[in-house]
Amino acid sequence: MVPPEYYLLLSAAVFCIGLFGILTRRNALLILMSVELMMNAANINLVAFSYVWGNVTGQTFGLFVMALAAAEVAIGIGIVLVLYRNFDGVDVTEATTMRW
């Protein structure tokens, strides 16, 4: 049996990598991948605590987070395509010119 602290350490590491990616990247695709890393870190936490407490509530919430992540990817890819079409690149700093 793996202690739950290992799952929490893994989740914290994945979350920190995702947060670092969001704060330092300008490419919209890399930002979307970083958000997915952060959501997967939350899923690791939910499933780990579900395993420790012996119920399936955390796993159920994990499925909802996966559905939310799929919807976020669909919307995000649409935004990335609009960025690429309008600015010939996916640099998020150029999107400030889309203001009125």
Side-chain angles (χ1 to χ4, degrees), residues 61-83:
F61 278 116
L63 288 174
F64 285 125
V65 170
M66 285 184 206
L68 178 71
E72 179 258 333
V73 166
I75 299 295
I77 293 297
I79 292 171
V80 167
L81 288 175
V82 168
L83 276 175

Side-chain angles (χ1 to χ4, degrees), residues 27-79:
N27 188 337
L29 289 174
L30 293 177
I31 291 174
L32 283 175
M33 288 172 43
S34 298
V35 170
E36 290 296 321
L37 279 174
M38 292 172 72
M39 286 187 172
N40 284 330
N43 274 341
I44 292 171
N45 271 337
L46 289 170
V47 172
F49 284 120
S50 173
Y51 177 71
V52 168
W53 289 332
N55 59 14
V56 295
T57 306
Q59 294 173 7
T60 306
F61 278 116
L63 288 174
F64 285 125
V65 170
M66 285 184 206
L68 178 71
E72 179 258 333
V73 166
I75 299 295
I77 293 297
I79 292 171

Side-chain angles (χ1 to χ4, degrees), residues 4 82 84 91:
V82 168
Y84 185 76
D91 189 5

